[in-house]
Amino acid sequence: MDLLVVGSGLFGLTIAERAATELGLRVTVVESRDHIGGNAWSTVDEATGVEEHRYGAHIFHTSNDAVWGYVNRFTEFTPYEHRVYARHRGEVFPLPINLGTINQFFRTGLGPDEARRLIDEQAGELAGREPGNLEDKAISLIGRPLYEAFIRGYTAKQWQTDPRDLPASIITRLPVRFTYDNRYFNDTHQGMPRHGYAAWLQRMADHPLIDIRLGVDFLDDGHAFSRDAAVGQVPVVYTGPVDRYFGHRYGALGWRTLDFDRQVLDVADHQGTAVINECDEDVPYTRTLEFKHFHPERTHRDGTVVVREYSRFAEGPDEPYYPVATPEDRARLERYREAAAEEPRVLFGGRLGTYQYLDMHMAIGSALSRFDNTVRGWF
Ligand code: FAD
């Protein structure tokens, strides 16, 4: 073994693939789960034939041509364009907030300039007062009526906190489009892997010099690929949680997690689209996903798979999904970064190793540049 990669998510797989293909290195990848691919992994429901994203809906999008070129070596992408809808008081509206949302909500037929004037007027409610919390900040950006309908309940559920008790700094902008364009992403490239996420990720791992060991936790003692056996002996790329690597010595970093309530329904189509945000506070879940709509080009059997997502703070063994990043978390992270810099030939990468939310293209882009800037220099 020339290189040990901890974690087979997109960051770890990209490093492993590049090291094997470009440098001809023998790479061992240890993965504590029973499958590769990290949070992008998908499985197929046997009864319906629907591909399910096991860790929340994943849509690939990027404006980075190098990343797009790289991922297309392993999979083709369908021309899927993501659109999200919002449910509020029994009515469904298009998101991000656009001319269609505004005209449906206010029962108007405004053009772009009139709509802009209306929103500016409503956003002027604070009359120059500095927003003291998230609610004020959102009102200063889009006005109270749209905030109360589409942002307040959703945000309160996401953070389990009244938006008046959240810092204004959580949001810097709330996009409002004065056109009817409701494509969720503005990126140059987007789509779904044509043969599924599992096939894409498997293809990245399929290399004679890459040895994948599933069900192996790097931080457990007593095996040949553990931290104690490997660090200092072989270069390591570590994509697990940075605080866990150091035994939480400066305290645990805060994360939000999701609970998934999954149902297989005996109907052909439950909601007519892939994602509906549930904006009202009296509906306890934040989103409803219906996976078959990610692949309109596929023929599915009867039935559909629907998942309701519930958001809460992660504790103990929960999956860490989104960094909370309070000022205390950021201070702790700084200390972990200093400790990480002292580790001999260990690169901390990916979303858990750097405590950052990363979209897939960001995880891949970061792995490609850190492969060039750090890993190459080790050999
Ligand atoms: P991960 O995928 O988390 O992989 C890390 C791997 O390391 C895991 O498999 C873990 O089991 C393993 N590991 C950790 N510790 C150890 C250890 N000690 N020993 C062995 N193995 C270990 N991105 C998009 O581009 N579009 C989307 O629509 C999108 N939707 C998302 C929805 C949700 C709910 C979430 C949470 C993320 C979403 N993402 C999306 C982001 C995407 O999941 C990440 O970009 C990607 O997972 C990052 O890859 P990674 O390798 O950094 O981390």
Side-chain angles (χ1 to χ4, degrees), residues 82-98:
H82 194 43
R83 288 184 165 78
V84 174
Y85 293 83
R87 197 186 327 269
H88 168 59
R89 297 208 181 125
E91 227 181 297
V92 174
F93 298 84
L95 286 182
I97 296 172
N98 64 72

Side-chain angles (χ1 to χ4, degrees), residues 61-64 183 185-190 359 361:
H61 58 99
T62 187
S63 295
N64 181 327
R183 283 171 307 163
F185 299 115
N186 291 321
D187 283 303
T188 327
H189 312 287
Q190 67 170 302
D359 271 328
H361 68 104

Side-chain angles (χ1 to χ4, degrees), residues 232-308:
Q233 304 301 315
V234 66
V236 174
V237 172
Y238 176 81
T239 73
V242 60
D243 52 353
R244 194 172 162 238
Y245 181 99
F246 293 105
H248 300 110
R249 71 164 81 134
Y250 305 124
L253 296 167
W255 291 86
R256 282 191 297 119
T257 192
L258 297 173
D259 295 319
F260 300 114
D261 172 20
R262 171 186 182 276
Q263 290 176 304
V264 180
L265 303 179
D266 195 16
V267 294
D269 193 348
H270 170 65
Q271 63 182 17
T273 193
V275 179
I276 296 190
N277 286 5
E278 306 289 347
C279 294
D280 297 334
E281 227 175 321
D282 53 2
V283 176
Y285 42 98
T286 47
R287 304 200 294 177
T288 308
L289 315 178
E290 186 173 11
F291 290 109
K292 64 168 32 170
H293 293 291
F294 287 130
H295 288 281
E297 79 288 359
R298 290 183 185 165
T299 309
H300 292 101
R301 292 192 284 282
D302 289 346
T304 191
V305 182
V306 170
V307 165
R308 288 173 173 173

Side-chain angles (χ1 to χ4, degrees), residues 6-12 30-33 37-40 55-61 216-219 238-241 244 258 321-322 350-352 357-361 363:
V6 181
S8 63
L10 277 166
F11 189 97
V30 292
E31 169 54 61
S32 54
R33 291 175 175 167
N39 284 356
Y55 304 91
H58 277 67
I59 301 97
F60 190 82
H61 58 99
V216 176
D217 192 319
F218 175 69
L219 298 178
Y238 176 81
T239 73
R244 194 172 162 238
L258 297 173
Y321 281 141
Y322 302 102
R351 59 185 204 96
L352 300 166
Y357 177 79
L358 298 175
D359 271 328
M360 292 182 278
H361 68 104

